[in-house]
Amino acid sequence: MTPRATGLLCALMLLPAGSASVAASGDPVLVPDVSSRAIDIKYSFVGEELLLFGAIIYPDGRAPDERADIVVVIRGPTRPIRLREKQRVAGIWVNTQSVGFGSAPGYYAVASSRPIDQMIDERTAAIYEIGLRNLSLSPTEFEDSAQLRRFENGLIDLKRRQTLFVESAGGVEINQGALYRARLMIPAQVPVGRYTAETFLISHGDVIAVASRDIDIRKTGFDRFVAMAAEHYGLIYGLIAVTLSICLGWFAGWLFRRF
Amino acid sequence: MDLYLPVANMSVNIIMIVALGGMVGILSGMFGVGGGFLTTPLLIFYGIPPTVAAASAATQVTGTSVSGIFAYWQRGGVDTRMGAVLVTGGVAGSLLGAMLFEWLQALGQIDTVINLMYLGLLGSIGWLMLRESLEALRAMGSGQSVPTRKRRHHPLVTALPMRWRFYKSGLYMSPLAPLFLGILTGIMTMLLGVGGGFIMVPAMLYILGMDPKMVVGTSLFQILFTTIASTMVHSVTTHAVDIVLASLLLVGGAIGAQIGARLAMKVDPVRMRLGLAIVVILVALRMAIGLAWQPEEIFTIQWL
């Protein structure tokens, strides 16, 4: 790689696009990208597959002998939630205990080139929140650690089955130690907001480079208009819903009497 | 054929939702029930958030009841005086229901309360109807003339003060009884997204003792206004009415209601009541199973 190209790439890394390198100069840098910077939700939206790809650039232009690993994480906006657990009381299943989580992401997907526990230790994973077990969910109002663990597992399990939490070990492909790519599915029921796509370069159990990109997921057109009206103009929205409903019913009645 | 629902935040299959609306519409036209007691659980089963399901089902029921009410209006089958009393109660009930909804949601017991309410109401009413219609069928089968049961209201209703004449329904009774009934169904409309017809029809027959020819039309009249009130309350408080979902359900529902109203004229009323009784009991059984068996999801998420 020519010095000029390296310089250009370094300049790219400094752009305020949210990319950053944790390592000092001399360490490899990441040039990440995603297939879409914005996902528009409209009437035909059934989910979208995101391709995260990029290059690992080593300062001397040569990949080291040991294998480096890549982890990509897509994370949705966080929102406080309360998780309730059903238990059998007097023969029927009712909600009994509950735990609050102050910062549960609405969507979280992680793909890595190897299983996470083989690449980094728990402490590092927790610092960068890599892996579903390492999310900091900011729990509140729990009794003890056993209860908390049960609820955390319950939350992760529930969200995984809703495909809103994804963990894919081996989901990242690395070509010739320099180019990587991963596909992650964004399902239709994702919350809207600003998402971040982070890429971690990992070597010898350490995170040596981090880069991130923002992805906006937003409703557009008619869907945006309806969602906005429902949220902010409840009274008018309700009147329109009632009118529409009456007109449709009336029309159907009229139509049937003619035939 | 998928379509994204802007308020429910998910995409659904158009044909599935329209078919669901149509099936419920047929029931609506035949029995004068809104069908919400089937729509809401089926929508929840499909994966639509419970609040959105209840709110949008109520909006849909408005449309189906308009569609069905025509036929009965033309035949003079609507007692507007009785209807007005019921609606007054219904609107008050919607507001009460909204407060109850918020309180139960904060406690985290909304699902259980909804299921228990369904179970108690459907179970007892289904049983009452089943017994009555089977007796009538047996009497018809053995060639006897159907015993002309004296139409009368429940003793408790007789004890209430103040009496009004309801000419069309052939009643001279206290308006407090239908008012109370209206409040009860208003609360249920808000909580369950049901029009309350499946409670109202049997209650009118067996508790108020109304003229059977007036029951279905008047029930549709009451449902129409109570669901309008509940759509408005939901739009302003929970913001959970999905206009796209409601429209899809309506397309099916409006057509179904017309088919149902025609079927109703051909089918013997006793058999029809038996049919409704069986549907009601099946839904109640499903609820009982849902409460007693370990649910698929032990954990539920509530947004704060």
Side-chain angles (χ1 to χ4, degrees), chain A residues 9-105:
Chain A
L9 284 164
C10 287
L12 271 176
M13 300 309 296
L14 293 173
L15 285 175
S19 61
S21 173
V22 286
S25 65
D27 280 341
V29 286
L30 280 169
V31 189
D33 208 349
V34 282
S35 53
S36 353
R37 292 290 170 79
I39 294 177
D40 290 340
I41 296 181
K42 50 178 192 256
Y43 63 93
S44 56
F45 185 70
V46 289
E48 190 166 315
E49 194 183 59
L50 270 185
L51 177 66
L52 290 99
F53 58 97
I56 310 160
I57 294 168
Y58 296 93
D60 55 359
R62 231 183 351 201
D65 298 332
E66 322 83 34
R67 173 179 169 163
D69 285 297
I70 289 281
V71 177
V72 294
V73 171
I74 302 180
R75 169 198 284 279
T78 59
R79 222 178 127 174
I81 60 164
R82 177 159 288 280
L83 189 68
R84 297 186 188 278
E85 185 192 41
K86 283 197 174 64
Q87 268 172 3
R88 205 185 181 116
V89 177
I92 62 167
W93 288 82
V94 291
N95 286 330
T96 48
Q97 298 178 40
S98 73
V99 169
F101 290 104
S103 61

Side-chain angles (χ1 to χ4, degrees), chain B residues 43-109:
Chain B
L43 287 177
I44 294 171
F45 185 68
Y46 192 86
I48 289 172
T51 320
V52 177
S56 310
T59 312
Q60 180 238 353
V61 174
T62 306
T64 34
S65 53
V66 167
S67 175
I69 206 168
F70 276 120
Y72 291 97
W73 189 277
Q74 280 166 343
R75 281 188 251 154
V78 181
D79 183 346
T80 41
R81 185 170 195 167
M82 176 66 81
V85 175
L86 290 168
V87 169
T88 310
V91 173
S94 302
L95 295 170
L96 271 175
M99 286 187 266
L100 207 61
F101 196 101
E102 235 164 82
W103 181 66
L104 287 170
Q105 206 170 31
L107 282 180
Q109 298 303 344

